[in-house]
């Protein structure tokens, strides 16, 4: 049963009908995009009620909320920006998920103060994609700049905390940019995270991939990585494919 929540200036409520959840969004500070939907859909389902999932760089809580039907255990959302953490917390209330969901407003670097090492069965992360380089153009909106550029966290820290939180043989999931793939794979290896599934996401036929989804296992046996069939978001006319529609609406 959904609960009433108070919306703040510039906020709206959107629905992801495929997962039966409503989520508080704001174009002024943060709104989920397809990468959050695809990352959640890439996570293997689990009906283990004692399992723990940690969502790093959680933003407004989209990835964790989209997993509410696929993951039966406890979900901890970790978000550095207070306004986004507040949005995530109110979305949890809105969907009456407070019995399983918790938001921690802290820097990912400090996550061990709240979640002990080697405790998580699953860790997911939709991190900032772009390096913080002096010449790189950044959004003048600080909320969006932090979400997109490595201003407060970088890839190495994401991989380090993902590895530290996971139990041995726990599963981690990451969405990122294909143009950083060699760096991503090397960084994962440096942190005892063995890639097991990799899937490239293509916006339209004939276009280069613009996202990559990666599943890792902590201390997993080397080798055996699978390159999944590519995921096509839209056809040549721009209409969502059946697979994309299923992720969004069914």
């Amino acid at each position: 049963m959904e609960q009433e929540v108070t919306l703040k200036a510039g906020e709206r409520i959107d629905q992801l009908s495929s997962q039966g959840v409503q989520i508080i969004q704001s174009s002024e500070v943060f709104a989920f995009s397809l990468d959050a939907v695809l990352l959640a859909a890439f996570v293997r389902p689990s009906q283990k009620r004692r399992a723990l999932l940690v969502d790093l760089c959680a933003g407004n809580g989209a990835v964790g909320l989209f997993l509410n039907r696929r993951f039966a255990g406890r979900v901890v959302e970790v978000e550095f920006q207070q306004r986004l953490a507040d949005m995530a917390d109110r979305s949890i209330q809105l969907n009456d998920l407070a019995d399983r969901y918790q938001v921690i407003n802290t820097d990912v670097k400090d996550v061990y103060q709240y979640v002990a090492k080697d405790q998580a069965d699953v860790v997911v992360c939709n991190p900032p994609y772009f390096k913080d380089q002096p010449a790189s153009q950044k959004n003048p909106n600080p909320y969006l700049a932090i979400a997109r550029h490595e201003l407060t966290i970088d890839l190495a820290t994401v991989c380090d905390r993902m590895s530290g939180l996971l139990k041995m043989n726990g599963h981690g999931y990451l969405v990122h940019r294909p143009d950083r793939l060699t760096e991503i794979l090397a960084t994962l290896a440096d942190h005892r995270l063995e890639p097991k599934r990799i899937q490239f996401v293509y916006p339209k036929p004939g276009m280069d991939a613009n996202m990559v989804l990666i599943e890792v296992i902590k201390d997993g046996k080397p080798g055996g990585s699978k390159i999944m069939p590519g995921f096509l978001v839209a056809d040549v006319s721009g209409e969502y494919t059946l697979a994309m529609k299923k992720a969004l609406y069914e």
Side-chain angles (χ1 to χ4, degrees), residues 86 99 161 169:
D86 175 62
D99 60 326
R161 293 304 187 266
N169 295 321

Side-chain angles (χ1 to χ4, degrees), residues 6 8 11 24 59 79 81-92 103 105:
T6 301
K8 298 183 179 179
E11 293 181 345
I24 297 171
E79 171 53 41
Q81 299 192 73
Q82 193 278 330
R83 186 168 175 186
L84 303 190
D86 175 62
M87 290 167 67
D89 192 53
R90 284 181 288 128
S91 288
I92 288 168
V103 177
N105 178 205

